[in-house]
Amino acid sequence: MSFNQDELQAPAWLNDEFFLDVMRESTNDPSIELTSECVLRPGTNQGDHYGSVMFRTTVNYRSHKLGDEKSINLIMKTKPEADGLKKSILEDNQIFAIEIDMYRNTLPKIARVLKGIGEEYKYPQFVYGALAPRTILILEDISDQGWVMGDFICTLDEMKPIVKNIAMLHAASVMLASEDSKFAVDHSHATASIFMRFGGMVKKGFDAVMMLTVLDPEFAHFGKPLESFMRNLTSFFESSFGPSTAIQNVLIHGDFHFKNLLHKDDTVGRHTDTIFLDYQISCWTTPVVDLYSMLDLISSQEVKDKHRSELIYMYHEQYSDLLKRMGFAGKISTLLELQMELLKFAVLELFHYIVFSSYRYMDETVTDIEALLKGEVDLEIVNIADFKKLMHTELTRFLHQGTLCNS
């Protein structure tokens, strides 16, 4: 098994003394003592994660209150200490501050509102978080509880728990905002700029598609519209992550892709339940940000092609039903309004195709992720027939619906 290089050596301050303080503070029990050394392990496999440096450990402890010895498995996110793109991206504490607040405060509120109507919203339990003197988030490690990472979702049935969880997160946030006028303001983070920090990767994906317009006559007419799209990308992205003026805004996850999901499987390996991870760029905005990520970065292309409208319908039905059951007194956006919002912000979907489609044809386990995000990895995809067919089909759709244009 291959691990991320920066997770092979833990910083010296992640030691038994630190974990003893964490356990005493998180349990409000000053009598806790460790019963064995906390051995740190790499947190993720190579290519599975980039937005922090992660480690795992098991804490064995006892206290006067507990009597018997207890143990807890922990997973922690820290900031990188070695110079590089990852360190520069995480130089400020914005994404850590957002995620710590989500796990410490917001997700428990989401779960509590949903529990009131008999629904369960699952998430790893918060243990400890701090921005100073060291930036760190510690959660309970649930990997030993049957939760596993998967790949792109290849069946409609396996998409259903994902759709429901998105609907639950969105609906509960709307209910909370209706009860607390500060909720939306407190979650109005300017997170679009975070994506722009990966400018090298964005340019590399764009260049790969533009190469098709040069080498293949069937793609030539996409050249000028694509150039126009890239010139306006930053403003497009900022408007997409800004609050909607047409439909009900929600608290989005903001970074949905298949590696930010864990699943529980049945005896034949089918996903029956899903839990979301990495709430680092959650913010108050239009729900279509999460819905396009669901369609483009979680479901397989085949599932999307066959069930796109059904998935959006399913989401809206569950979102509306949840709000009604919670007693929401405000206006619920109609399905037609949601579909119009999706069309209005289809630039997000176009962005997903241009930037991320090429990476589906790469083996991330043998790819230098930092070099990839810097745009230093060659994308040898212009001669891959499946990639060309996909891009021609989708670029044609974007051109015909007005998302791609020359202006």
Side-chain angles (χ1 to χ4, degrees), residues 339-373:
Q339 292 285 12
M340 292 173 65
E341 184 86 346
L342 284 162
L343 181 59
K344 178 181 178 181
F345 290 103
V347 65
L348 283 172
E349 186 177 28
L350 175 58
F351 175 83
H352 290 158
Y353 272 105
I354 290 176
V355 176
F356 298 119
S357 291
S358 56
Y359 298 109
R360 293 197 183 200
Y361 299 87
M362 299 178 61
D363 183 356
E364 292 186 2
T365 62
V366 295
T367 300
D368 183 333
I369 298 299
E370 176 134 342
L372 178 71
L373 296 176

Side-chain angles (χ1 to χ4, degrees), residues 230-340:
M230 284 303 295
R231 281 196 304 270
N232 297 294
L233 180 59
T234 300
S235 60
F236 282 152
F237 226 75
E238 289 175 350
S239 65
S240 298
F241 272 78
S244 173
T245 58
I247 67 171
Q248 175 63 59
N249 290 292
V250 302
L251 180 63
I252 63 165
H253 177 281
D255 192 21
F256 276 135
H257 53 81
F258 71 87
K259 290 187 176 182
N260 276 345
L261 310 178
L262 293 179
H263 311 279
K264 281 195 173 179
D265 295 347
D266 62 17
T267 55
V268 294
R270 292 172 300 199
H271 302 329
T272 57
D273 199 2
T274 296
I275 195 170
F276 300 153
L277 306 174
D278 290 356
Y279 293 82
Q280 295 174 317
I281 54 176
S282 294
C283 65
W284 187 256
T285 187
T286 173
V288 303
V289 176
D290 278 350
L291 295 179
Y292 272 132
S293 294
M294 175 190 76
L295 292 171
D296 303 335
L297 306 178
I298 292 177
S299 71
S300 68
Q301 187 66 37
E302 182 179 4
V303 168
K304 178 181 175 180
D305 289 342
K306 289 183 178 179
H307 303 291
R308 177 191 180 102
S309 295
E310 185 176 357
L311 288 167
I312 298 301
Y313 174 80
M314 187 188 308
Y315 161 83
H316 184 266
E317 285 288 290
Q318 297 196 34
Y319 170 80
S320 302
D321 177 65
L322 287 162
L323 280 173
K324 292 173 184 176
R325 288 163 57 196
M326 287 185 284
F328 179 65
K331 179 185 181 300
I332 300 174
S333 300
T334 67
L335 178 60
L336 178 59
E337 289 170 333
L338 178 61
Q339 292 285 12
M340 292 173 65

Side-chain angles (χ1 to χ4, degrees), residues 123-134:
Y123 58 94
Q125 294 302 303
F126 175 83
V127 175
Y128 178 84
L131 300 178
R134 307 283 188 177

